[in-house]
Amino acid sequence: RRPNSNRVFTSHRAGLYLLGTGSTGVVETALALGLAQAAVTGVFSFALGPPPPPVSAAADASSLEKKSGLAEAMATPQGAALSAGIFFAGFTSLPLMLNSRMLLQDCFSPLVAPELVAPAAVASFVGYVSLANSAGRVAIGPLSDAAGLRAAYALCALQIPAVLSLPAIAGNAPADPEKALALWKVATCAVPAFYGGYVVLLAPAVARTFGSRRVGSVFPRIFAVLNLSNLASSTVIGRQREAAMEAAATDLAGFVDDAVFLEHFGTAKTDLARLVAVKTCTIPSLLAIAPAGTPDPSPLIHHDTLHLLGWTSALAVACHAGALWLGPRPTAAPR
């Protein structure tokens, strides 16, 4: 029991804590909230039923628009392509939006001046990422009205080079850290901007494919896939980060003398995996006792992750292109 426990925030004196786990509980809390959100959204979206069939169908209605059941419409290749497309778009973009602070600090904290990665500076960057996502939605929606869905989706395909530029920028960070940090921020903001386009174009794509009468029933089911993509991407990115941190620490430990390691950490290198898991042994702490000139692996921590996101971005483009190619051809050719 902490002294003055009947008062709120009166002291910073030590209390009772669970030590040695290396976890603050943030990841577990986020995972639990993600599962709860995915479950609730999924249940309610799949509880939606199709609207009542019209008395008479239009003579020029497409065959997909005449489908009598929602399940039959969702089982079409077009429904699968749109669902897969929005899944991969979310898998690519949501990690860069929700973990933009972590990615920036992992790659650039050891290299640039502390004020450039201070909490206030990073917080403003996170705000810019959210603003870019909103700007993409505002800009690409009118573009679709003016130039058509194909042109708007073609613009969203620029997300691929934006994502793939990130590992190249991080790899060149040791040569010019401040320039690399500026380019990283620009590329990171571009990714959620194009993701906003994918989100705002989903309803017009559903209307074009299944008819305007199906938007209210088909759109929520496809959009619910984003919850699964968020959960899947968070899990994959988190595990890849842990594996990359452990691999980098193992490589750095090879440069450190065994006696120096034992003196600094109080245990032999054979216990390295446990020390890394509980955050006792970190990349900065190993660099501090490594010989001078040992390369810092921090900029390449997320190298494999960013290449994976490049592939998923390409899959998002391919799936949306397939849905448009398979979609019905209305009487008036789309622009």
Side-chain angles (χ1 to χ4, degrees):
R1 181 178 176 85
R2 197 173 59 179
N4 299 324
S5 60
N6 59 329
R7 302 172 63 187
V8 180
F9 303 124
T10 58
S11 171
H12 292 290
R13 280 182 263 180
L16 297 178
Y17 300 94
L18 180 63
L19 301 178
T21 62
S23 173
T24 61
V26 174
V27 174
E28 292 82 356
T29 302
L31 181 61
L33 291 175
L35 287 171
Q37 181 186 10
V40 172
T41 308
V43 168
F44 281 97
S45 63
F46 280 90
L48 294 173
V55 177
S56 60
D60 60 346
S62 67
S63 60
L64 285 177
E65 194 171 357
K66 295 178 182 178
K67 297 288 186 182
S68 59
L70 175 61
E72 186 180 5
M74 288 296 297
T76 60
Q78 292 89 338
L82 286 174
S83 299
I86 201 66
F87 175 87
F88 288 122
F91 192 102
T92 302
S93 309
L94 292 175
L96 294 174
M97 294 172 59
L98 303 178
N99 302 307
S100 56
R101 178 198 302 263
M102 177 194 73
L103 294 170
L104 185 145
Q105 291 180 330
D106 282 350
C107 294
F108 291 95
S109 288
L111 301 175
V112 299
E115 61 269 17
L116 295 178
V117 288
V122 176
S124 64
F125 169 61
V126 174
Y128 294 145
V129 171
S130 300
L131 182 62
N133 178 245
S134 300
R137 300 186 186 210
V138 171
I140 296 178
L143 173 65
S144 172
D145 295 336
L149 274 175
R150 291 192 181 95
Y153 275 124
L155 178 63
C156 292
L158 293 177
Q159 187 186 69
I160 300 175
V163 175
L164 292 178
S165 69
L166 290 172
I169 293 171
N172 292 324
D176 192 346
E178 295 186 4
K179 179 181 178 181
L181 179 60
L183 292 174
W184 175 279
K185 290 181 178 180
V186 172
T188 302
C189 288
V191 173
F194 294 124
Y195 168 70
Y198 281 121
V199 173
V200 81
L201 294 176
L202 180 58
V206 170
R208 179 186 184 276
T209 304
F210 298 102
S212 58
R213 293 180 295 109
R214 293 283 183 220
V215 173
S217 56
V218 175
F219 174 83
R221 292 200 172 187
I222 296 179
F223 194 77
V225 173
L226 283 176
N227 294 297
L228 299 177
S229 69
N230 186 19
L231 180 61
S233 62
S234 299
T235 303
V236 171
I237 301 308
R239 291 184 177 178
Q240 283 200 343
R241 180 176 183 263
E242 292 176 0
M245 288 285 190
E246 183 175 351
T250 302
D251 292 340
L252 283 177
F255 293 95
V256 179
D257 183 75
D258 291 350
V260 174
F261 187 95
L262 179 61
E263 179 182 358
H264 189 82
F265 294 106
T267 185
K269 291 182 181 180
T270 54
D271 208 19
L272 179 63
R274 184 186 64 83
L275 295 175
V276 172
V278 299
K279 308 296 188 294
T280 300
C281 179
T282 62
I283 292 176
S285 64
L286 285 169
L287 285 172
I289 60 175
T294 301
D296 185 353
S298 299
L300 301 179
I301 286 296
H302 297 286
H303 187 266
D304 293 341
T305 297
L306 294 172
H307 278 95
L308 171 64
L309 297 183
W311 280 105
T312 56
S313 179
L315 288 173
V317 172
C319 290
H320 283 100
L324 292 179
W325 182 75
L326 291 170
R329 300 294 186 267
T331 304
R335 290 177 291 179

